[in-house]
Amino acid sequence: MTVHVLGVRHHSPACARVAAWLLDEVQPSTVLIEGPSDFNERIDELCRLDHELPVALFHFRGGGGSRRASYTPFCDTSPEWVALRWAAKAGACVRFMDLPSHSDAFFVSENRTADRVDRYAEAMRALCERLSVDGSDAAWDHLFEQPDTPANVRERLDRYFHEIRPPGHPAPGRDTEREAFMAQCIAWASERPGDVVAVCGGFHKSALEEGWPTAPTTWPEPPPRSTDNVGTYVVPWSFERLDSFTGYAAGMPSPGWYQALWEQEPAAGAEAMLAACIEALRARKQPVSPADHIAVHVQLRGLMALRGHTSPTRIDVLDALCSALVKGALDVPPPWTRRGPPLAGTDPHLAVIVQTLRGRRVGRIHPGTPRPPLVQDVHTQLEAHDLVPTAAPRTVQLDLDDAADLQRSRILHRLRVLSIPGFRRAEGPEDPTSTTRSEQWALRTGPRLEPALLEASQWGPILEDAARARIAEAMEEADRLDERVSLLVDGLFIGIDELAEEILGIVQQAVASERDPGTVARAVRLLLAVWRHRSAFVPAAHPVVGDVLQALMSRTIQIASELRGGAHRDHLGFGIAARDLLRHGPVDGHDRGLALATLRRRVSDPVAPIDLRGAALGILHDAGDDQSERASLAVRGVALEHLGDWLAGLFAVTRETLGRSTGLLDAVHERIADLGVEPFLEALPALRLAFAWFPPAEREALGAALLQRLGRGDEALQLAATDVAEEAAGLALEQRVEALLAQHRLLGGEA
Amino acid sequence: MSEPDELQRPPAELRFADELARLDADDPHPKPKGWVRSPRAVRAFVLGDRTREITPKFVGHASLVDRAMVALATHRGLMLVGEPGTAKSWLSELLSAGISGTSTLVVQGGAATTEDQIKYGWNYALLMSEGPTPTSLVPAPLYTAMEQGRIVRFEEITRCPLEVQDSVLSMLSDRVMAVPELGDDGLVYARPGFNLIATANTRDRGVNEMSAALKRRLNFETVFPIADREVELALVRRSSSEALTEAGVPEPVPDDLLEVLVTTFRELRAGQTEDGHVMNRPTTVLSTAEAVSVATAAGIQGWFLHGRTATARDLMGSMTGAVVKDDLDDLKVLRGYLEQQVSHRSGGAWSELWEARTELPLDP
């Protein structure tokens, strides 16, 4: 009996080839693979069903506040996949040897197979420096993804992983538990007849080799489950999600590239991918002349010679394309010089190239594969809440004041968020803080329902999670505060508690980069409403909304301190937002002090927009710092052509208080009374705007008081004369208000 | 030539002569025609090689250096673009010293650059007495580089008038320069090893106005600010203390101040704090070179004016000068940064910087 521990990098074609070679050479009777041991009973779903790769094992753990999901992806170039299929074909005993997927040890990081490389950044950095390459991916390709005999590659792999983590080096965090478990599995296998091949992440290799000879030889007991709501399913996966450029930490970048190298001879695969890049660029109308094409090849040969490559590596091809095709300055470094998604501002040529090397393949699971839990969860929830769609359209009327109906509304909104066809909202409140209390839905089943649910299972195992994850992702993709806030509004319909911190955190990020006062004002208006008012969808103030509002306060201060230029309508809404934040928002003493200091500076700042200056004074007054005298003084000081805009800013925030100050109105009157006709007409539009903040009744009272003082009180009656149509509209509005008040039993006294 | 020690700034090939000698002693790799050493040796010279005690001289992406060398080994010229202070000229100097053994064939681009400063001029006394002969011709860097098969450097090429930029076109494509005054003998064919490294600064009149014909003959490489904070900090620490020693200041700038300086520069440059808060960016370029000069100025101010090591106040003074250059709005950006970010940070040097905000000039 011999035990072979093969350390690999997930999804590496070189490692997949070594695995195939080793298995053929050794012909083991037991094959152990780093993977969730709780799936062993169903391992045939992977070994024997014919899936179209990539697919993934989708793990979830529910219950309480620790609901989590993770994935173990497989593609053709995964050494683990090669081992699984080899064992099934050869009739060897095959088992996953890692802790069960629900173990706490996995939920420290998001992906089960997250690279350990970053934890050993120092070793990696030294290696990259020695090889003169940018980063671990380039180093990997240089060392391993070159044509060579499997035996040589294996020997180099062993040396590499030895350097990354020398023997005797303890594993970080919870990996110790995993390694003990895996070592015991190997010890168990070593007692069985025949040889053993164990395939694990290269990071664990030395620890397993050291650990198994002294480990107990029984199959290890799995740790107890903290909840019964756990599961693992085979789900379709895609190259996009496999690509580390899209954020999957354990991925190899550019899965399409490695797939090509796997399916063809390395040189032919590289040539095909290069041609695909040129074609993709031309398809997008990016000019690539024959001379450019030649230059790419010349550059590629030169880079290969310099770097000592017999076959082009991914970086060689990318570098050659970059050299030959980019004819200008780049705004951000090429995406392959760092890990993670490409930065904003990546050159369009390079973005197309990276996308081409990623590939578009989307996996499909065998029809006989057990379905993921979301499908079941949705059907169960629909049945329990009497929402099962029928072939003939069916209408559901919901009273949102009824707890059961509100719950049904949430379920339907979650399905809507996931774009599941057949659940259409016909009527209902547009805004989750609205007081509309009813909704109408049209339900209808169809052939697209089931596939849509299957696909939506990528977002989560149960409906609530899936809907939330979907919104979170849409938020990540949206780059403007506007879009994110409207997604947030959308999200409130599924319940604010489900909009966990991550989602509000994303909104918060957008806040920090927003420069438009109008957008900030709209965000403040909505979020303050969510913070302060209760509605069917928003039952209580949520602390994270408070955090976003604090960020908005900081942003408001920043914008208020920087705005310059002429008056703009948005400045008025912005002033109101700033006032309301200071009045009602969760603003701490530091920010409050900073805000007031900024406003004080801007009141008399000659480069500040004139309406902002008026608003700044008003907000200071509103914040309890009496400005009535200063306001009168300012009215006398402001240039006439700016008076209207200045007053508009002031009245936008202080109509109820300073707007009634007789001193201020006297000062305005003094300025206007002396005007000739021409200047008056010039000042009129802005003045009208300023006084438009007063409702008609207040305007009338203002006018009457003014006439009184001028000794023309008898003309006051004429002010009230208005258009009949307007009057009728007013009466109608009044009736509606009364009806609403009556409906909610708010007409005090008379009842 | 004088000894390097006696020069204010010796060129790279003199300053690192011993390293180049070490590399030449063991350079078995193939050399492109006309190169004095192999691309791998040049790469070791530029990026450093611990095993042979070759110091790293350029901090940046290794793949950029690879691509640049391959471009130079082919018939395409190399164009280094990037923000000011990203060591483009330094990289160009290192590459030409490594590849052709000399980095001194330089054309400095500017509004007043003329063709005769690039190609050739005449010794007018000889021209009058002898007429146009090879003896009366005064070769300019491009001529010499072609004749000797070396690299010519064209600094700040985009600052030259477009027609002057285009005067190098035929030399880049046909690799021949015509001197019509010399008649039939007046063709200078480039020897192997000749090529051109141009640099241009993205904040100047960018590369967009450059003619398509010239662009096509150049491989563009963008040089970026240093990505790694620790590496940048180490570079600022080393360079500023060297500069201070040179200036006769015995005390280097304290490390916590340097950290504050480098963090501030990096955050303002990126328009984002290290913990991910997005904020405004100033219009000025906050390069590593600028950080070194800010640190040096603070050290000099502290020592010569106050007789002590630099403090946050000294730093604030020179930092304001670096951030606010020709756009007064940048002062607001800096003030905003101090108020929004620095005011929340604890820790000695950050608090000192916050205290030192009073050094900021008032808004105009």
Side-chain angles (χ1 to χ4, degrees):
Chain A
M1 180 283 315
T2 321
V3 170
H4 302 264
V5 178
L6 176 64
V8 297
R9 182 174 182 193
H10 311 292
H11 321 312
S12 149
C15 292
R17 287 200 178 92
V18 172
W21 163 80
L22 184 70
L23 291 162
D24 282 341
E25 289 283 301
V26 174
Q27 294 289 327
S29 57
T30 313
V31 176
L32 294 175
I33 296 163
E34 182 185 329
S37 52
D38 53 333
F39 197 68
N40 278 335
E41 292 162 25
R42 289 164 56 202
I43 204 164
D44 279 355
E45 284 176 30
L46 286 177
C47 294
R48 299 194 188 276
L49 292 181
D50 284 327
H51 308 290
E52 278 176 41
L53 266 47
V55 297
L57 282 180
F58 164 57
H59 318 281
F60 68 90
R61 180 174 86 161
S66 64
R67 191 180 290 135
R68 289 290 179 78
S70 64
Y71 301 91
T72 312
F74 298 97
C75 55
D76 287 327
T77 61
S78 304
E80 295 90 341
W81 182 259
V82 169
L84 277 168
R85 300 302 282 200
W86 183 93
K89 208 170 154 198
C93 161
V94 55
R95 288 201 184 193
F96 282 134
M97 61 169 170
D98 206 341
L99 285 171
S101 55
H102 54 79
S103 309
D104 288 336
F106 291 124
F107 291 105
V108 209
S109 60
E110 205 216 321
N111 277 301
R112 295 204 40 244
T113 49
D115 259 359
R116 313 295 144 176
V117 174
D118 53 359
R119 299 186 187 165
Y120 280 73
E122 258 324 299
M124 205 63 234
R125 199 200 300 239
L127 183 70
C128 290
E129 194 190 300
R130 216 166 65 220
L131 298 174
S132 287
V133 294
D134 297 324
S136 53
D137 292 331
W140 177 269
D141 281 4
H142 177 73
L143 293 171
F144 303 111
E145 305 293 346
Q146 285 282 302
D148 201 350
T149 65
N152 285 347
V153 176
R154 188 185 181 198
E155 197 225 312
R156 270 207 306 281
L157 280 172
D158 290 352
R159 264 192 289 147
Y160 173 81
F161 289 124
H162 190 277
E163 182 162 344
I164 297 286
R165 183 182 171 196
H169 217 82
R174 308 289 296 264
D175 277 0
T176 325
E177 281 169 58
R178 296 179 51 205
E179 287 174 354
F181 193 90
M182 288 194 271
Q184 191 174 338
C185 290
I186 298 175
W188 165 83
S190 70
E191 292 284 297
R192 290 171 45 88
D195 286 352
V196 180
V197 167
V199 181
C200 64
F203 181 79
H204 304 297
K205 179 180 150 61
S206 60
L208 297 191
E209 278 175 335
E210 283 175 328
W212 79 259
T214 53
T217 54
T218 50
W219 185 261
E221 260 317 294
R225 294 175 172 194
S226 55
T227 162
D228 281 336
N229 185 13
V230 298
T232 298
Y233 287 86
V234 183
V235 294
W237 202 247
S238 68
F239 275 1
E240 178 166 5
R241 304 188 77 184
L242 202 56
D243 190 353
S244 72
F245 277 142
T246 58
Y248 168 48
M252 296 272 283
S254 316
W257 164 268
Y258 293 108
Q259 185 75 29
L261 258 56
W262 174 253
E263 288 172 354
Q264 309 174 43
E265 281 301 303
E271 186 59 45
M273 285 317 275
L274 191 64
C277 287
I278 304 252
E279 201 176 307
L281 285 166
R282 286 180 177 158
R284 283 175 180 73
K285 305 269 181 260
Q286 311 261 23
V288 182
S289 68
D292 290 333
H293 199 159
I294 295 169
V296 174
H297 281 274
V298 171
Q299 189 79 10
L300 181 62
R301 299 292 145 214
L303 285 167
M304 283 167 60
L306 169 63
R307 293 167 177 173
H309 295 160
T310 50
S311 171
T313 66
R314 176 178 146 272
I315 300 287
D316 293 342
V317 168
L318 288 167
D319 274 342
L321 286 162
C322 175
S323 273
L325 301 182
V326 174
K327 292 182 181 108
L330 298 177
D331 291 332
V332 294
W336 55 92
T337 53
R338 55 191 287 282
R339 275 189 86 84
L343 299 167
T346 293
D347 182 272
H349 284 95
L350 302 186
V352 170
I353 291 165
V354 165
Q355 217 175 15
T356 311
L357 293 202
R358 171 185 306 152
R360 292 169 169 272
R361 201 170 283 209
V362 177
R364 278 167 60 178
I365 56 173
H366 186 270
T369 319
R371 291 295 182 232
L374 178 72
V375 181
Q376 194 49 48
D377 184 55
V378 169
H379 286 309
T380 315
Q381 291 210 35
L382 289 178
E383 255 164 57
H385 292 91
D386 186 22
L387 291 170
V388 179
T390 45
R394 133 179 203 214
T395 307
V396 176
Q397 186 74 34
L398 302 175
D399 171 9
L400 300 176
D401 285 327
D402 180 79
D405 270 6
L406 182 62
Q407 187 54 33
R408 295 168 83 200
S409 163
R410 292 232 156 110
I411 292 171
L412 293 169
H413 275 291
R414 284 172 200 136
L415 291 166
R416 183 180 60 80
V417 163
L418 289 170
S419 316
I420 306 295
F423 300 87
R424 189 174 63 83
R425 191 164 81 136
E427 275 171 32
E430 274 182 25
D431 176 328
T433 60
S434 153
T435 48
T436 307
R437 319 296 289 181
S438 66
E439 260 185 350
Q440 196 184 49
W441 290 78
L443 314 185
R444 181 181 192 173
T445 189
R448 286 165 52 229
L449 176 63
E450 205 68 18
L453 281 176
L454 195 63
E455 208 163 286
S457 73
Q458 63 178 304
W459 306 112
I462 51 174
L463 186 55
E464 288 93 318
D465 278 4
R468 183 182 58 207
R470 181 73 197 88
I471 290 188
E473 181 159 319
M475 285 237 182
E476 289 278 8
E477 284 164 5
D479 48 0
R480 291 173 41 84
L481 180 59
D482 268 359
E483 297 166 44
R484 289 188 178 174
V485 168
S486 70
L487 276 165
L488 181 62
V489 171
D490 218 18
L492 288 174
F493 285 114
I494 68 169
I496 185 141
D497 286 330
E498 289 168 29
L499 289 179
E501 301 194 0
E502 53 185 292
I503 292 189
L504 289 157
I506 299 170
V507 178
Q508 201 165 352
Q509 279 172 14
V511 168
S513 58
E514 186 56 55
R515 286 154 180 263
D516 177 45
T519 308
V520 167
R522 282 187 290 278
V524 169
R525 190 177 58 82
L526 179 86
L527 289 171
L528 258 187
V530 173
W531 176 251
R532 297 179 60 213
H533 308 304
R534 293 168 180 207
S535 75
F537 295 104
V538 186
H542 196 283
V544 187
V545 176
D547 292 347
V548 181
L549 281 168
Q550 281 179 6
L552 277 164
M553 185 75 240
S554 300
R555 199 59 214 158
T556 303
I557 297 170
Q558 184 72 26
I559 292 177
S561 74
E562 287 170 358
L563 269 182
R564 56 196 305 173
H568 192 280
R569 241 193 121 65
D570 278 351
H571 297 165
L572 305 179
F574 178 71
I576 296 172
R579 177 199 67 189
D580 290 347
L581 268 174
L582 286 169
R583 257 195 207 169
H584 310 295
V587 179
D588 62 18
H590 176 272
D591 277 356
R592 191 181 179 80
L594 206 56
L596 296 179
T598 307
L599 292 169
R600 271 188 209 106
R601 203 176 66 203
R602 304 259 39 204
V603 164
S604 50
D605 183 346
V607 298
I610 191 73
D611 46 359
L612 184 77
R613 290 173 59 182
L617 189 85
I619 300 168
L620 288 173
H621 183 82
D622 193 77
D625 186 357
D626 188 355
Q627 302 285 334
S628 37
E629 276 191 31
R630 201 168 168 200
S632 310
L633 275 176
V635 166
R636 294 194 174 92
V638 173
L640 193 62
E641 66 269 30
H642 291 146
L643 182 61
D645 288 328
W646 188 86
L647 283 173
L650 182 73
F651 289 150
V653 294
T654 57
R655 166 184 65 84
E656 306 94 324
T657 50
L658 271 181
R660 303 208 173 137
S661 147
T662 42
L664 178 71
L665 290 170
D666 282 348
V668 175
H669 178 60
E670 273 171 40
R671 287 300 299 274
I672 298 176
D674 297 339
L675 287 184
V677 176
E678 284 265 323
F680 176 72
L681 286 178
E682 275 170 28
L684 192 58
L687 282 168
R688 277 187 65 120
L689 176 66
F691 283 93
W693 289 104
F694 294 87
E698 284 183 31
R699 267 205 307 262
E700 188 190 329
L702 281 177
L706 190 61
L707 286 169
Q708 208 77 49
R709 291 205 7 218
L710 294 171
R712 289 156 66 185
D714 47 339
E715 291 170 35
L717 275 177
Q718 291 170 13
L719 290 169
T722 40
D723 187 357
V724 179
E726 223 173 274
E727 212 159 310
L731 279 175
L733 176 69
E734 221 161 273
Q735 272 179 350
R736 280 225 308 281
V737 171
E738 265 178 35
L740 265 176
L741 289 171
Q743 185 191 338
H744 294 278
R745 296 186 187 81
L746 289 169
L747 281 179
E750 293 169 27
Chain B
M1 186 73 78
S2 321
E3 284 298 301
D5 291 355
E6 296 166 13
L7 303 177
Q8 195 174 26
R9 187 191 176 283
E13 59 272 23
L14 286 186
R15 186 165 157 203
F16 303 108
D18 48 341
E19 291 191 6
L20 288 171
R22 266 204 300 286
L23 283 169
D24 292 341
D26 174 27
D27 186 8
H29 304 293
K31 298 178 187 125
K33 262 188 159 179
W35 285 37
V36 299
R37 50 188 70 82
S38 71
R40 290 190 206 196
V42 179
R43 177 164 71 187
F45 176 62
V46 175
L47 294 171
D49 179 352
R50 254 171 234 259
T51 55
R52 290 191 272 182
E53 288 183 41
I54 307 295
T55 51
K57 298 167 194 71
F58 171 75
V59 181
H61 293 130
S63 54
L64 182 153
V65 177
D66 285 356
R67 291 194 300 264
M69 281 194 299
V70 172
L72 290 172
T74 65
H75 274 193
R76 312 247 281 195
L78 174 65
M79 176 75 170
L80 296 173
V81 283
E83 302 212 314
T86 42
K88 295 180 295 295
S89 301
W90 178 229
L91 177 60
S92 132
E93 181 177 342
L94 292 170
L95 284 172
S96 28
I99 292 170
S100 19
T102 173
S103 63
T104 51
L105 295 171
V106 189
V107 178
Q108 181 62 50
T113 308
T114 53
E115 265 196 71
D116 54 1
Q117 291 165 332
I118 302 172
K119 295 166 149 182
Y120 58 90
W122 299 98
N123 178 331
Y124 285 98
L126 282 174
L127 187 66
M128 301 284 260
S129 63
E130 290 180 8
T133 60
T135 9
S136 56
L137 183 138
V138 181
L142 184 65
Y143 189 107
T144 315
M146 290 179 75
E147 199 175 39
Q148 300 179 358
R150 293 178 194 265
I151 303 277
V152 59
R153 300 165 52 204
F154 201 146
E155 293 288 302
E156 306 287 5
I157 190 169
T158 49
R159 296 180 62 195
C160 297
L162 288 179
E163 55 277 17
V164 176
Q165 296 179 22
D166 281 349
S167 67
V168 301
L169 268 181
S170 66
M171 277 65 86
L172 281 179
S173 49
D174 303 336
R175 306 268 148 176
V176 61
M177 183 196 291
V179 186
E181 295 90 336
L182 295 181
D184 291 345
D185 299 334
L187 285 179
V188 186
Y189 291 97
R191 299 177 69 89
F194 162 72
N195 216 330
L196 174 133
I197 306 179
T199 60
N201 168 340
T202 43
R203 294 283 171 126
D204 271 338
R205 187 178 61 171
V207 289
N208 293 329
E209 289 177 29
M210 202 176 219
S211 70
L214 185 55
K215 274 191 194 172
R216 217 170 44 234
R217 287 165 175 83
L218 296 170
N219 271 14
F220 279 74
E221 287 299 339
T222 312
V223 188
F224 288 97
I226 299 171
D228 188 305
R229 182 179 178 278
E230 295 310 312
V231 174
E232 184 172 6
L233 181 60
L235 190 65
V236 171
R237 187 186 295 127
R238 195 177 69 219
S239 307
S240 66
S241 60
E242 273 172 19
L244 285 174
T245 314
E246 194 97 328
V249 180
E251 302 275 354
V253 178
D255 227 36
D256 53 348
L257 268 194
L258 285 181
E259 261 181 58
V260 163
L261 169 69
V262 170
T263 309
T264 303
F265 265 46
R266 291 180 68 84
E267 293 185 336
L268 285 173
R269 191 191 295 151
Q272 191 172 19
T273 61
E274 282 173 356
D275 48 8
H277 287 278
V278 182
M279 53 186 205
N280 289 343
R281 303 158 53 152
T283 53
T284 31
V285 181
L286 297 170
S287 64
T288 310
E290 193 79 55
V292 171
S293 68
V294 166
T296 313
I300 289 179
Q301 182 176 336
W303 183 254
F304 290 116
L305 297 185
H306 307 292
R308 52 164 168 70
T309 53
T311 63
R313 273 179 191 283
D314 302 323
L315 197 64
M316 182 64 90
S318 42
M319 196 151 79
T320 312
V323 177
V324 187
K325 288 213 164 108
D326 47 16
D327 189 347
L328 285 170
D329 277 351
D330 290 343
L331 185 59
K332 294 203 172 72
V333 176
L334 183 60
R335 189 193 305 284
Y337 176 73
L338 291 171
E339 283 174 355
Q340 303 279 317
Q341 307 300 340
V342 177
S343 66
H344 294 282
R345 289 182 192 168
S346 51
W350 283 114
S351 319
E352 281 171 34
L353 191 71
W354 172 235
E355 301 285 312
R357 71 188 184 284
T358 48
E359 296 283 309
L360 276 184
L362 292 172
D363 279 346

